[in-house]
Amino acid sequence: MPSPPKPARRFARLVATPLALAFVPSLAFARPVAPSVLCDTWPEAADCRGRVVGCETCHTSTWPAAWNDFGFAVGMAFPGGIEDDADFAAGLPTALAAVARRDSDGDGVDDYDELLVGTSPGDEDDVWLWCAPTEREALDAPVRRGFDFRAALNRASILYCGRSATYEELAALDAQPTDAARHQTLHAAVDECLASTWWRDEGLPRLADPRIRPISSVGASSTVGIVIGDYDWDYRLWSYVLTQDRDARELLRADYHVDRAADGSLVRVEGTIPTSATRGPQPLEPERRAGMITTQWFFAINTMFSPLPRTTAAQAYRAYLGMDVSKEEGIVTVPGEPLDVDDKGVRDAQCAGCHATLDPLSYAFAYYEGIQGASLPSLGNSGRFNPARPEREIPGWTDPQAFLFGEPVESVVEWADVAVESDAFARNLANLFFRHALEREPTVPERTAFDALVTSLAEDGFSANRLIHRVVDLDAFGGLTP
Amino acid sequence: MTRPFLSRAIGAFVLVSLAACRPSGNGPAGPGTEPPETCAPTTEAPAPEPLHWRRHAAFVTDVHAALALDATTGCRELDRTPCGDVHLVALGGNDVFGAGQYEPVARPLATTPLVVDRFVLGACSNRVTLDAEATPVVFGMLDLAASTVSRDDARATASELFRRLLRRDATNEELAEIAELAEETNARDFAVAACFAIGTTSEAVLY
């Protein structure tokens, strides 16, 4: 359906907005249930395949609530009044169906089509005019014609070896007689880089920095004598899991630790780690462990002294599932939440939208100590599991049900089990290495190839190495625009 | 949906190239609808992936490898600290333990060109000094004590530097251009200037 001219739409909106607010007063709220209902209605939408639609799909602001063109069109298409979330959830599919073939933002593409390809139906500047895909020319290698093997070898060497390809390496590539041989040479070089000490000890740790968030002044080598945890354990586990074709889900499932052998290699160690004069311990029992999100450092730096460790859960959600609650990503409202167990006022309307997701994410983490001692060798009880902690910190604690993605979980270990089996985990892992390689998000025409990366993880045993090999074969890695 | 500026720029470029795909008067189109009849497959060569910044680790390693230097013999500030460490952030690295900077800057800073010049000039100068004082490693085609440089020696030196610093053979035009630096210059100054000129090209900094 052709869009009305822009001035007319603007005028219509100008007139209709106060009318809508006057006659449908409950529209003046953001509805945290909307993303999940949208995905139930249109699961094929790009943002529903592995992550949850963000509030910005409809809103320009959630408090006070304000809408973009799409959100406004959806609101006006509701079949009846909206008294509460239940009315809203019941009416939203009908409203979405009503606007599917509209072009709310006037950018030339239907709202439904924009959601399919992953552009915003409420932002006229975010658009991709679609054409039928063209046939790919077949080569004797699994890359597109025009793929620049020299550029790819150089890029791979820089990214995974920490240096450019040498003159001799490039000359050897040029000497290969066929694209298939060049492709084989390229991937042999990638294998060599991924087995290098640079990738293990420098390349991979730099990808972990925003996830581990070390603070050297309170780390094991603190020069001021205040140690709250030893994040070297975290870095070693990260690098161990993401090398040698290991299962990347171990990031959140490992019940072991990783130490460094005399030759510099990383070796798995079992059980708890006693303290020493030069490094911090890992006191948590293996059955309570869930990889990166249960190290002593993770609890010390995220939980600190919080009665309900929302920051800890939010960092786990952000770092390993790719969704930042503070940016209103990954909102999956749990009915009846937030309970406001620690009396922080999070039931207020401007807080509840996020805390109905965040608080149930956090409950399971409340049983782990944050900072409980701050000096080597013991570090006190930091990071230990303590069933009595919630009641000690929050008198009257009722052991509320924890949830992840709307699914009840009984512990952090179960939280992690649900997390690693989710599309969000796979998508976040693929996104990590895609962004590392190309320093940007996938574009709309790359979405199919990116989806293939995500789905390939299962068949590749969640090997980061195999994932990287697939990234190297992407058109963009060889200098092509898809 | 928010997207990085670069993606928007790419999107804008492709939008222009796909302008013929915009349905004329037939309403919007997308994967949920049939493609418009006017939407012919594009025959132009696809645009290349934008250039990327050769960041700290690779840049420092490349310059050191090209000139057979390391952190102790390469560029050093006040002869005490490796320039690569001092200028970590401006060279595109992230100072995680010193500054709690968990991710590198997205694009070169205003000081990045200065730091690149500083780093390469320091490395080139040190290499020339080392070659002048002992068996030369990089500048073996030159008599570094000479007050003049022949055209052939200048071209041979340039050729060696292209292979070392840019990992490719130079074109005739490039050799001629570098050789011009040898006019009315002593060998040592020419060596530093040629090394600096090649090592600070955009090709050395971007990939």
Side-chain angles (χ1 to χ4, degrees):
Chain A
M1 169 177 152
S3 305
K6 199 171 294 180
R9 286 192 303 115
R10 290 272 151 79
F11 177 74
R13 188 179 172 193
L14 198 65
V15 171
T17 299
L19 287 174
L21 294 177
F23 293 105
V24 193
S26 55
L27 258 182
F29 294 97
R31 296 290 177 180
V33 296
S36 52
V37 176
L38 190 150
C39 284
D40 288 342
T41 309
W42 289 333
E44 65 276 26
D47 283 348
C48 298
R49 288 177 283 157
R51 58 186 304 151
V52 180
V53 181
C55 300
E56 75 282 359
T57 303
C58 292
H59 289 271
T60 55
S61 165
T62 52
W63 189 265
W67 295 265
N68 59 31
D69 290 325
F70 174 68
F72 183 77
V74 171
M76 292 301 290
F78 260 77
I82 305 170
E83 293 299 326
D84 53 26
D85 279 352
D87 285 343
F88 181 79
L92 185 54
T94 305
L96 288 171
V99 303
R101 287 292 157 225
R102 292 185 196 168
D103 177 17
S104 295
D105 56 7
D107 58 13
V109 180
D110 284 3
D111 294 346
Y112 173 68
D113 285 333
E114 289 220 54
L115 288 167
L116 277 186
V117 300
T119 56
S120 170
D123 180 356
E124 63 185 335
D125 294 326
D126 189 16
V127 62
W128 186 264
L129 294 180
W130 179 80
C131 288
T134 52
E135 291 292 322
R136 291 169 67 95
E137 271 189 275
L139 285 185
D140 60 354
V143 291
R144 200 176 85 186
R145 182 170 295 284
F147 188 91
D148 185 338
F149 286 96
R150 278 181 69 94
L153 177 60
N154 202 39
R155 189 190 303 276
S157 190
I158 289 169
L159 292 170
Y160 311 121
C161 268
R163 60 167 178 79
S164 298
T166 65
Y167 180 88
E168 291 74 20
E169 287 168 338
L170 291 166
L173 180 78
D174 291 341
Q176 299 301 320
T178 62
D179 282 336
R182 280 185 278 277
H183 185 259
Q184 194 172 6
T185 302
L186 168 63
H187 283 273
V190 172
D191 272 334
E192 201 171 314
C193 288
L194 295 179
S196 69
T197 55
W198 185 86
W199 178 240
R200 182 193 68 198
D201 296 339
E202 180 63 26
L204 277 172
R206 295 292 71 75
L207 296 180
D209 289 338
R211 291 159 182 84
I212 296 172
R213 305 199 294 189
I215 299 175
S216 59
S217 59
V218 291
S221 54
S222 169
T223 54
V224 295
I226 300 173
V227 180
I228 65 168
D230 183 353
Y231 45 73
D232 286 343
W233 290 107
D234 304 56
Y235 278 107
R236 286 193 296 268
L237 177 60
W238 170 270
S239 290
Y240 178 85
V241 170
L242 295 179
T243 48
Q244 297 187 15
D245 282 326
R246 295 190 179 93
D247 187 333
R249 289 173 294 186
E250 294 287 291
L251 287 174
L252 300 188
R253 285 203 308 211
D255 62 357
Y256 52 85
H257 295 287
V258 175
D259 210 342
R260 193 173 292 281
D263 65 357
S265 62
L266 299 175
V267 291
R268 174 173 168 157
V269 290
E270 309 293 338
T272 58
I273 306 295
T275 188
S276 78
T278 56
R279 65 183 192 184
Q282 291 294 345
L284 192 59
E285 303 83 358
E287 62 270 23
R288 304 290 184 189
R289 295 218 54 220
M292 301 290 294
I293 61 172
T294 55
T295 63
Q296 189 177 55
W297 174 258
F298 191 80
F299 286 119
I301 195 60
N302 290 304
T303 297
M304 291 191 174
F305 307 101
S306 305
L308 181 61
R310 296 183 176 93
T311 303
T312 310
Q315 174 64 1
Y317 206 51
R318 179 191 302 117
Y320 300 102
L321 299 173
M323 294 182 284
D324 191 335
V325 178
S326 70
K327 295 177 181 171
E328 298 172 341
E329 296 169 349
I331 299 297
V332 184
T333 299
V334 175
E337 291 283 356
L339 300 175
D340 198 9
V341 294
D342 50 353
D343 196 24
K344 299 292 185 189
V346 295
R347 291 181 67 84
D348 290 352
Q350 65 267 42
C351 306
C354 292
H355 282 269
T357 298
L358 178 58
D359 285 19
L361 283 179
S362 312
Y363 297 144
F365 291 90
Y367 294 90
Y368 293 78
E369 298 284 5
I371 296 175
Q372 283 282 312
S375 65
L376 287 176
S378 75
L379 292 181
N381 289 317
S382 300
R384 289 180 189 269
F385 181 82
N386 179 3
R389 180 184 182 275
E391 175 65 29
R392 183 191 75 210
E393 299 289 336
I394 305 172
W397 174 260
T398 57
D399 193 17
Q401 178 64 57
F403 285 86
L404 174 61
F405 300 135
E407 187 176 331
V409 292
E410 302 305 325
S411 65
V412 169
V413 173
E414 203 174 310
W415 194 106
D417 283 341
V418 171
V420 295
E421 297 306 330
S422 69
D423 285 347
F425 178 83
R427 191 163 293 267
N428 185 55
L429 193 65
N431 189 261
L432 168 70
F433 288 109
F434 185 98
R435 280 188 58 86
H436 172 244
L438 300 171
E439 298 197 18
R440 60 173 174 78
E441 298 288 331
T443 60
V444 171
E446 282 176 318
R447 197 170 292 276
T448 303
F450 181 77
D451 287 345
L453 289 180
V454 176
T455 53
S456 74
L457 275 164
E459 64 188 82
D460 289 343
F462 279 81
S463 158
N465 283 9
R466 292 304 315 153
L467 175 62
I468 288 168
H469 276 283
R470 290 180 186 274
V471 169
V472 169
D473 278 344
L474 292 175
D475 290 348
F477 203 95
L480 296 172
T481 294
Chain B
M1 166 184 281
T2 56
R3 293 188 301 182
F5 171 78
L6 205 54
S7 298
R8 288 182 179 277
I10 297 166
F13 174 81
V14 180
L15 273 181
V16 171
S17 64
L18 289 178
C21 298
R22 179 183 279 275
S24 52
N26 297 326
T33 61
E34 289 298 313
E37 292 178 5
T38 54
C39 187
T42 180
T43 54
E44 294 88 5
E49 180 72 9
L51 290 172
H52 287 201
W53 184 8
R54 197 184 311 270
R55 290 174 179 272
H56 173 266
F59 181 75
V60 170
T61 303
D62 285 355
V63 172
H64 282 167
L67 300 178
L69 298 168
D70 58 29
T72 61
T73 54
C75 176
R76 293 174 71 80
E77 294 295 3
L78 305 174
D79 280 337
R80 294 178 63 178
T81 311
C83 296
D85 293 353
V86 175
H87 304 296
L88 170 65
V89 175
L91 288 173
N94 58 306
D95 185 7
V96 58
F97 300 111
Q101 181 197 5
Y102 300 137
E103 293 187 271
V105 293
R107 52 184 62 85
L109 304 173
T111 54
T112 298
L114 297 173
V115 170
V116 167
D117 286 358
R118 168 75 187 111
F119 186 86
V120 175
L121 186 59
C124 290
S125 299
N126 288 3
R127 182 70 262 165
V128 171
T129 299
L130 290 168
D131 277 10
E133 293 172 349
T135 305
V137 175
V138 175
F139 298 101
M141 299 82 154
L142 296 175
D143 173 5
L144 289 170
S147 58
T148 60
V149 180
S150 74
R151 189 172 185 77
D152 285 348
D153 287 350
R155 288 175 65 92
T157 300
S159 179
E160 174 73 8
L161 288 170
F162 265 90
R163 284 193 175 198
R164 283 178 168 273
L165 287 162
L166 302 184
R167 297 158 294 279
R168 66 172 174 83
D169 292 321
T171 65
N172 270 328
E173 292 75 15
E174 288 168 333
L175 293 178
E177 203 166 343
I178 295 298
E180 283 180 20
L181 295 172
E183 292 171 9
E184 300 179 10
T185 308
N186 64 48
R188 194 163 173 146
D189 287 350
F190 165 72
V192 173
C195 177
F196 175 76
I198 297 167
T200 56
T201 55
S202 56
E203 186 177 345
V205 180
L206 306 173
Y207 68 95

